[in-house]
C-alpha cells in the first residue's frame, strides 16, 4: 500500500514544479481555490469534506492526502472521515470503497507523525 506521507511529499513537489514552470496558471488556480474555499453559506470544513468525497470518487491519492491533512487541521475526526468515505462509496460504488479506505489510511498515516 502507498504511504500517504510519501504521496503528499511527491504531490507537493510536483505542484512546486508546475509553479516554477507555469506560474501564472498556478497562481490563477490558487486564486480559484482560495475563492472556492472561502467561508460563505458553507464553512471551510464542510467544503473540505465535499472535496474529499470527490477525491475518493475520482481516485486521486494526492488529493485524498491533501484534503485529509486539511481536515485534520480543521478538527475532523477519523469517524467523520469514515462517514464521508461512506458517502463517496454510494456515489462511486465499488471503487469508492477502495479509495474510501485510502482516506482512512491517509488519516492514520498523518496521525502517526503527530
Amino acid at each position: 500500500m502507498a504511504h500517504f506521507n510519501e504521496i503528499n511529499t511527491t504531490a507537493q513537489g510536483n505542484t512546486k514544479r508546475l509553479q516554477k514552470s507555469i506560474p501564472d496558471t498556478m497562481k490563477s488556480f490558487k486564486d480559484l481555490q482560495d475563492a472556492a474555499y472561502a467561508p460563505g453559506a458553507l464553512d471551510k470544513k464542510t467544503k473540505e469534506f465535499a472535496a474529499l468525497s470527490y477525491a475518493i470518487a475520482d481516485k486521486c491519492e494526492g488529493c485524498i492526502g491533501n484534503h485529509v491533512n486539511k481536515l485534520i487541521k480543521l478538527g475532523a475526526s477519523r469517524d467523520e472521515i469514515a462517514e464521508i468515505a461512506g458517502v463517496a462509496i454510494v456515489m462511486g460504488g465499488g471503487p469508492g470503497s477502495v479509495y474510501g479506505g485510502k482516506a482512512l489510511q491517509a488519516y492514520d498515516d498523518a496521525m502517526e507523525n503527530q
Side-chain angles (χ1 to χ4, degrees):
M1 282 262 165
H3 192 267
F4 276 89
N5 294 323
E6 293 172 17
I7 290 170
N8 287 339
T9 299
T10 299
Q12 290 166 358
N14 288 336
T15 297
K16 288 178 183 173
R17 284 183 184 86
L18 288 169
Q19 289 168 336
K20 288 179 183 177
S21 296
I22 51 172
D24 292 342
T25 300
M26 294 305 289
K27 171 142 182 11
S28 295
F29 182 63
K30 176 73 168 111
D31 291 344
L32 177 62
Q33 287 177 315
D34 291 345
Y37 286 99
L42 299 174
D43 64 13
K44 193 169 185 171
K45 187 175 177 184
T46 301
K47 291 179 180 191
E48 285 296 340
F49 277 126
L52 178 59
S53 180
Y54 187 84
I56 293 167
D58 205 37
K59 302 172 211 65
C60 178
E61 291 184 349
C63 300
I64 289 169
N66 179 45
H67 293 292
V68 165
N69 283 339
K70 288 180 178 179
L71 282 162
I72 288 169
K73 290 177 184 170
L74 292 168
S77 69
R78 190 176 194 280
D79 288 343
E80 288 175 310
I81 300 295
E83 285 191 23
I84 205 67
V87 171
I89 290 167
V90 169
M91 300 307 294
S97 67
V98 172
Y99 281 82
K102 287 181 178 282
L104 290 178
Q105 180 188 6
Y107 183 91
D108 292 345
D109 288 350
M111 294 306 286
E112 283 178 13
N113 292 327
Q114 289 193 10

